[in-house]
Amino acid sequence: MTEKIHSSLRESSAARWTALAIVSFTMFCGYFLADAMSPLKPMLESQLLWDNMDYGIFTSAYGWFNVFLLMLILGGILLDKTGVRFTGILSTAVMVIGASIKFFAISRFFPEGMAPIFGIKAQVMFAALGYAIFAVGVETAGITVSRVIVKWFKGKEMALAMGLQMSFARLGTLLAMAIPLPIAKYFGDVSIPILFGALLLCIGLIVYIVYVRMDIKLEASEAHIIKDDEEPFKLKDVVSIIANKGFWLIALLCVLFYSAVFPWIKFATDLVINKYQVNPSLAGLIPSVLPLGTLFLTPFFGNLYDKKGKGATIMIIGSVLLIFVHGIFSIPFLNNWILAMAVTVVLGVALSLVPSAMWPSVPKIIPEKQLGTAYALIFWIQNWGLMGVPLLIGFVLSTSNPTVSQAKETVKAAITETYTQLKPQMNLNKIEFDKAVDITTTRLINQVLVNTEYKGVQDTTGFAGFKNELVKVNINAVQSMPLVQGKEKISQQVEDACVKAGYDEISKEKIALRYDYTKANLIFMIFGALAFFVAFMLKAEDKKKGYGLELPNMKK
């Protein structure tokens, strides 16, 4: 295809791997912001009074614009038309804009008392809008980075490079699982981790601009190379892509597999708290081992695919592991946190196996000039799952746990009323009052989730009476404590009294504050089973059409 290839900048190992490191960092920043809200779900419920449907709507917003406005497909076409430089900078800038809106929506700057929008809480709608805009950027950046890797590594260590890029990017997911909740609890503000993510994305934008300089040098180094005549991308190429059965099998495998992983990550911290009764400050560490495993295994399996092949087989094995993992999570009486961590590690192995073979297989099925659009179409189909599955899980959790959200709202209402009655003697301003209510409510609910063993009764009767009784026992507990001096000491005393008295009252009445995730995990297991079936079909299609999915990527 080319002459004098030795003179191309991509023949330099240092240049190839430097380019990979730069674009991987940008995706690292995007992956952090994509999942930073996941461990914050309990605080969103206790502080902002979101319920499962609110959280499901917010999470499903990831696919709103990408799916219904076809932004991902347009992004892929834009990539094929304009190249990785313009598309990469534009998509990263869009991520920054979306992250900023998302931060504003859940921060204390958001105006109170706004009317619902289309029947959805205004705060939830604005947060979802920001997330939807961010998703346009991060998904388009994802296909751009995939095209960057093909550009620099085709015929070389392509699967290894894709594996390393995914591994480094998933460090952002690891960070998103581990640090947002401790940061939010330290500052007493659920929005601070999102602000951190937005600032991180600004750095990611600057870093990608540095890559653009490298890309210019790459093209300059290949300016003299004589290339075979190749027709430019045309819209009719979309038809040839969607007429390809191999493309559809890859796309279906992608949506089914990722629907069993990424939506699970969105609910994982809440699952760990509710089922395994892990302290919320540490709960994010269990799902964080998932991307930690991919850090080492994805490059390993990618290198294996480069040298030995067996791409379709790797995808089948990964799908089988997915069925096993969610099957274990679905068994109600297996509720030991050590088992949960071990099973999450296995899920990390599955997340290493399938993507390490799936993404490098696309260039074997689709011509290079159509890759941007092909990746975009696959991501678009994937976004149907990323949009619909969280909404489905939120609905299932709400219907199978019908009064948990209402019970949490009642607890916060009681805490608010308690602080209102004590406000004159506490001398709190508006900001101090709101912060004290949020911290006390979160601490009380978390203590109930971690320390109680009862299942709870899903019954709305008596909630009004329970609220009044909770306020009464809180006031009595505060009044029975010795007097202290100073605003901070008084506030801490009131918080401690409300948590202790509230815990005793909630336990006595067996108020249901814990979600049962059994049905939700069964849904994830079904997606794993479907992914296995499609992966098996893909292997059969490869044998029939000779795509070379079972063959090595590196040229000898």
Side-chain angles (χ1 to χ4, degrees):
M1 181 176 178
T2 61
E3 295 177 358
K4 299 181 182 179
I5 293 182
H6 63 276
S7 63
S8 171
L9 184 61
R10 76 189 192 96
E11 291 301 309
S12 165
S13 295
R16 284 201 309 275
W17 295 110
T18 299
L20 178 68
I22 291 173
V23 297
S24 295
F25 179 80
T26 299
M27 292 309 299
F28 164 87
C29 300
Y31 273 46
F32 174 83
L33 204 283
D35 291 309
M37 288 278 273
S38 303
L40 299 176
K41 181 177 181 288
M43 287 188 72
L44 292 170
E45 292 179 344
S46 61
Q47 292 191 7
L48 304 184
L49 298 181
W50 287 25
D51 57 26
N52 277 309
M53 283 304 298
D54 293 330
Y55 185 74
I57 289 169
F58 161 77
T59 307
S60 73
Y62 190 91
W64 287 359
F65 296 157
N66 284 329
V67 170
F68 296 119
L69 299 184
L70 305 180
M71 295 304 293
L72 244 178
I73 296 176
L74 294 176
I77 294 174
L78 180 69
L79 174 60
D80 283 330
K81 289 283 188 180
T82 65
V84 298
R85 298 200 287 265
F86 175 79
T87 309
I89 291 176
L90 177 64
S91 59
T92 310
V94 170
M95 280 196 278
V96 174
I97 294 171
S100 301
I101 296 173
K102 183 177 172 182
F103 162 71
F104 168 74
I106 65 170
S107 72
R108 300 188 188 276
F109 299 110
F110 191 79
E112 297 181 2
M114 287 188 65
I117 302 173
F118 302 119
I120 302 172
K121 295 174 185 175
Q123 185 179 61
V124 175
M125 178 59 82
F126 271 87
L129 176 64
Y131 197 38
I133 293 172
F134 163 81
V136 172
V138 75
E139 290 289 299
T140 305
I143 61 175
T144 303
V145 168
S146 296
R147 184 66 180 268
V148 167
I149 294 173
V150 173
K151 187 174 186 178
W152 286 82
F153 287 90
K154 187 173 182 181
K156 301 183 183 299
E157 316 93 333
M158 186 168 65
L160 175 60
M162 287 189 173
L164 286 169
Q165 183 271 316
M166 284 186 283
S167 294
F168 189 75
R170 298 220 193 286
L171 277 178
T173 303
L174 185 154
L175 203 66
M177 292 291 103
I179 71 170
L181 192 55
I183 290 176
K185 291 186 70 175
Y186 177 81
F187 288 98
D189 189 336
V190 74
S191 68
I192 297 300
I194 308 306
L195 175 61
F196 173 78
L199 295 175
L200 197 63
L201 277 172
C202 292
I203 299 173
L205 174 58
I206 295 170
V207 166
Y208 195 88
I209 292 173
V210 174
Y211 165 75
V212 166
R213 180 63 182 168
M214 287 196 67
D215 193 79
I216 293 172
K217 289 183 178 180
L218 172 63
E219 292 197 358
S221 73
E222 296 182 338
H224 66 286
I225 296 176
I226 301 173
K227 300 182 179 180
D228 294 338
D229 291 336
E230 188 177 78
E231 291 185 12
F233 175 84
K234 298 178 181 179
L235 288 178
K236 69 178 183 180
D237 290 332
V238 175
V239 177
S240 67
I241 293 172
I242 62 177
N244 188 324
K245 184 178 179 180
F247 161 80
W248 279 108
L249 290 173
I250 281 280
L252 286 174
L253 176 62
C254 176
V255 67
L256 291 169
F257 180 83
Y258 282 133
S259 291
V261 178
F262 290 142
W264 180 86
I265 290 175
K266 303 297 184 186
F267 290 88
T269 301
D270 194 54
L271 163 67
V272 168
I273 294 171
N274 283 271
K275 180 174 182 178
Y276 300 100
Q277 296 182 252
V278 177
N279 188 302
S281 298
L282 302 174
L285 295 178
I286 292 180
S288 73
V289 302
L290 186 154
L292 184 62
T294 64
L295 175 65
F296 304 103
L297 292 176
T298 306
F300 171 79
F301 291 128
N303 188 50
L304 181 67
Y305 186 20
D306 278 331
K307 295 180 177 180
K308 303 295 183 181
K310 304 298 180 184
T313 301
I314 290 173
M315 288 183 265
I316 290 174
I317 296 172
S319 300
V320 170
L321 291 180
L322 207 58
I323 300 170
F324 167 77
V325 166
H326 290 304
I328 295 295
F329 278 130
S330 301
I331 301 174
F333 59 83
L334 295 180
N335 54 6
N336 183 282
W337 70 268
I338 297 177
L339 176 64
M341 181 168 286
V343 173
T344 303
V345 170
V346 177
L347 183 59
V349 175
L351 186 57
S352 301
L353 281 163
V354 174
S356 68
M358 180 171 62
W359 297 119
S361 294
V362 176
K364 293 185 175 183
I365 299 173
I366 303 296
E368 185 172 352
K369 73 185 182 77
Q370 300 173 354
L371 274 181
T373 302
Y375 277 124
L377 286 167
I378 294 171
F379 277 43
W380 179 74
I381 294 168
Q382 173 191 327
N383 268 250
W384 278 96
L386 299 182
M387 176 188 67
V389 174
L391 198 60
L392 172 63
I393 298 300
F395 174 77
V396 169
L397 284 174
S398 293
T399 54
S400 57
N401 304 273
T403 66
V404 171
S405 294
Q406 185 178 350
K408 291 182 177 181
E409 290 179 10
T410 303
V411 170
K412 181 166 186 178
I415 297 296
T416 303
E417 178 61 27
T418 300
Y419 274 89
T420 300
Q421 293 188 26
L422 297 171
K423 192 173 183 179
Q425 66 192 71
M426 296 183 70
N427 193 30
L428 300 176
N429 59 38
K430 177 67 166 60
I431 295 177
E432 291 171 335
F433 179 89
D434 290 343
K435 187 174 181 179
V437 169
D438 288 344
I439 291 175
T440 304
T441 305
T442 300
R443 184 179 162 194
L444 172 56
I445 292 175
N446 287 342
Q447 185 161 322
V448 172
L449 293 177
V450 172
N451 295 321
T452 60
E453 297 294 337
Y454 66 85
K455 184 176 181 181
V457 180
Q458 300 282 345
D459 185 5
T460 58
T461 60
F463 268 6
F466 167 70
K467 173 196 168 185
N468 295 332
E469 188 62 28
L470 188 55
V471 173
K472 180 181 176 182
V473 298
N474 286 341
I475 295 294
N476 289 339
V478 172
Q479 292 175 345
S480 65
M481 297 184 74
L483 294 176
V484 294
Q485 299 296 323
K487 182 186 289 188
E488 290 186 6
K489 290 184 178 179
I490 293 174
S491 295
Q492 189 62 56
Q493 186 182 61
V494 171
E495 179 186 328
D496 292 341
C498 289
V499 170
K500 184 178 185 306
Y503 176 83
D504 292 340
E505 184 66 20
I506 291 170
S507 301
K508 183 181 75 174
E509 298 296 329
K510 290 184 169 50
I511 302 298
L513 297 179
R514 181 176 289 112
Y515 292 113
D516 182 350
Y517 269 84
T518 302
K519 293 180 180 178
N521 280 312
L522 286 172
I523 292 173
F524 289 130
M525 187 177 72
I526 291 171
F527 282 119
L530 293 173
F532 166 76
F533 178 71
V534 173
F536 192 82
M537 290 179 62
L538 180 62
K539 184 173 182 178
E541 184 70 8
D542 173 55
K543 187 175 181 179
K544 178 180 177 181
K545 296 289 182 64
Y547 293 128
L549 303 187
E550 296 288 277
L551 300 177
N553 293 317
M554 294 182 66
K555 297 178 180 178
K556 296 181 180 180

